[in-house]
Amino acid sequence: FSPDIVPQLQRENDLTQEYQKLIASAQIPFEDGVYTLSQMTPFQNDQDDKRRLAAWKAVGGWFKEHQGDLDRIYDQLTHLRDEMGRKLGYEGYTTLGYYRMGRNCYTKEDVEKFRAAVREHLVPLADRIFRAQAGRIGVEYPLSYADNALKFRSGNPRPQGTAEDILAQGMKFYGELSPETAEFFRTMLDNELMDVLSTEGKAGGGYCTSIPAYKVPFIFANFNGTSHDVEVFTHEGGHAFAGYLASETAQLRECASPTLEGCEVHSMSMEFFTGKWFEKFFGDRTEDFRMMQLEDAAIFIPYGCMVDEFQHIVYANPALTPEERRQEWMKLEKVYRPHMDYEGDSFFGQGGFWQKQHHIYRYPFYYIDYSLAQTCALQYKVKMDADFDEAWKSYLKLCRLSASDYYTNMIREAGLMSPFEDGCVKNIVEKLEKYVK
């Protein structure tokens, strides 16, 4: 930091707020109603092929209509951040971006090595998963971008009941999972520390934050009636639980949370630890959801790496035009997601998919943290299937370590392989093979 970059930081904040407000303001006419982007998700997952495609085209149409603003905002953000990096004496933004993310125990070269391992081992596994999906739903491979969202011909599993029912079931499974989670979730419910309904004008996405003066976390989400409701609820619940434990032990505010790739291990692993109670949400579609959850976890990692590599390209070449950025995205699609077919779409088919990923605008270089964390969460999945109690002890230990050490050290102390270790990604793929089969 330097006072010299305060004007750029202020302008950066204005631009990210403009992006967030633009996304939140979306009003998409579809069939007989008008919907927000979050509320369009059930239609984009619909089992009726024509309806699902129409929903995707409606969403793409909204983004296409606002692409001028989306391009302008990101172009200005890219140049602002590059200017900040140069003012602080760096070659551009990338080094500063790593520092702002708190990267203190691995380098850009380590991340490149991780992405290379993902391309070598996980992309082929993801490709087999998508080929199986195409066979399951009876479509040709590669998958249309609209067909990609449909996991089963009978439709994707959806949680039973209302948002209130989901929260009530949350008290049941957190109550049974451990004494610590029972106390945590009772605190969340009693103090109304969750805002989960999707409403007009509400900011998109989901996250966990904290109210330090009261030593409590707070969960923000957008339930929309899809399986995502359970996923975001358990994901943000993992963040909140780790934050709740840290608030009891951290003497300094700065020690209450590790860097974000560590935080995402808490959340992504909790999605698997709560799997014993999925019947409460999905009934006779529980096994379908478990299968979808595991497949999505595996195929997400290459996507997260693609987002990261795209950002490295952008900030290494800040003079790229909006069209050139879209071309770079399409090149990466062929490397990381060869199963995707966007032919004929005027937005998604022209390299615009990344513009709906708000992290790229608001939190540069964040997204690789999800891929790193998912490699750890998948290790927990294997561990809990072998010995649930021992896996939970390891997870509890990791949460309580909070920010007491570097990410790579804490991962090893909890008994996991660091994503940067030689053979880590290959080992995970080998373990996942039995599930995929």
Side-chain angles (χ1 to χ4, degrees), residues 88-214:
L88 293 182
Y90 306 122
E91 78 296 339
Y93 181 71
T94 302
T95 299
L96 175 58
Y98 269 53
Y99 288 154
R100 290 176 81 184
M101 286 299 299
R103 304 265 157 86
N104 53 23
C105 59
Y106 58 92
T107 64
K108 180 165 72 77
E109 289 69 32
D110 291 321
V111 172
E112 289 170 353
K113 180 181 172 183
F114 172 73
R115 292 199 310 255
V118 168
R119 290 193 298 269
E120 181 179 356
H121 300 292
L122 252 171
V123 169
L125 175 67
D127 188 66
R128 293 199 295 279
I129 290 172
F130 283 114
R131 288 179 186 274
Q133 179 184 340
R136 240 178 9 238
I137 64 175
V139 299
E140 293 185 0
Y141 178 93
L143 290 159
S144 153
Y145 65 99
D147 290 337
N148 182 58
L150 183 68
K151 305 298 183 179
F152 302 93
R153 178 41 63 189
S154 57
N156 294 352
R158 295 189 179 195
Q160 304 167 348
T162 64
E164 289 74 17
D165 295 329
I166 291 175
L167 297 183
Q169 290 295 347
M171 187 63 251
K172 180 172 177 56
F173 74 68
Y174 279 125
E176 294 178 3
L177 180 55
S178 75
E180 293 87 353
T181 53
E183 177 188 304
F184 145 72
F185 201 70
R186 174 50 61 195
T187 299
M188 299 294 287
L189 285 179
D190 288 350
N191 294 282
E192 300 181 11
L193 295 169
M194 290 175 281
D195 175 3
V196 300
L197 297 180
S198 181
T199 55
E200 184 178 332
K202 183 178 178 180
Y207 59 82
C208 175
T209 186
S210 63
I211 308 175
Y214 291 89

